[in-house]
Amino acid sequence: MDRKIMYGIPNCGSVKKAKAWLEENGHKYEFHDYKKLGIDKTHLQKWATVVGWEILVNRKGTTWRKLPEETKNSVTTGAKAIKLMMENTSLIKRPVITIGNDIVVGYDEETYSATFKK
């Protein structure tokens, strides 16, 4: 079985729901707190290649809403999005869960049921 790593921040509601779902359904995982540990460009580039940078940028959160319009409007490429997410990890949609080469972004019970088969 492939190793599961959940990336996020512990006080995020979606991360809490994802942790609870995984634990209730008997799935072991490692947790990477990117507020404390950061996230490198290589991870973000790989994730963006697999799911698309547009999926990774959390445009619904407070952090995005607080950005100047000029900054928001400048996020037009993967490279620009990755640079901004590295500067402010709160802009990464949460959680990001890697299972081998597969990646699941966000919390969705149906997706989890289909992806994390026992």
Side-chain angles (χ1 to χ4, degrees):
M1 178 134 256
D2 286 319
R3 178 175 151 213
K4 291 181 197 73
I5 304 173
M6 181 187 300
Y7 296 83
I9 54 178
N11 63 342
C12 170
S14 294
V15 169
K16 289 177 182 178
K17 288 177 190 174
K19 282 181 167 186
W21 191 95
L22 288 172
E23 289 163 10
E24 288 167 11
N25 288 279
H27 296 279
K28 302 236 183 276
Y29 63 92
E30 296 172 41
F31 184 72
H32 178 100
D33 181 345
Y34 48 61
K35 279 288 191 194
K36 290 182 181 172
L37 302 171
I39 194 71
D40 60 39
K41 188 175 183 177
T42 303
H43 277 86
L44 290 172
Q45 287 174 326
K46 179 180 178 186
W47 298 347
T49 299
V50 176
V51 300
W53 65 267
E54 299 90 341
I55 301 280
L56 289 174
V57 178
N58 182 5
R59 290 187 171 93
K60 294 181 181 177
T62 305
T63 304
W64 177 263
R65 289 192 301 266
K66 287 183 178 179
L67 289 174
E69 286 302 313
E70 183 179 319
T71 302
K72 291 181 204 177
N73 293 335
S74 75
V75 181
T76 56
T77 65
K80 290 178 182 178
I82 287 167
K83 182 178 184 300
L84 192 59
M85 287 185 284
M86 286 181 66
E87 292 168 359
N88 195 333
T89 56
S90 294
L91 289 172
I92 304 169
K93 187 168 180 167
R94 300 176 296 269
V96 174
I97 302 175
T98 60
I99 318 101
N101 290 322
D102 294 324
I103 299 168
V104 177
V105 179
Y107 173 73
D108 179 75
E109 233 175 279
E110 286 183 30
T111 301
Y112 282 26
S113 293
T115 304
F116 306 118
K117 296 180 176 111
K118 290 188 178 180

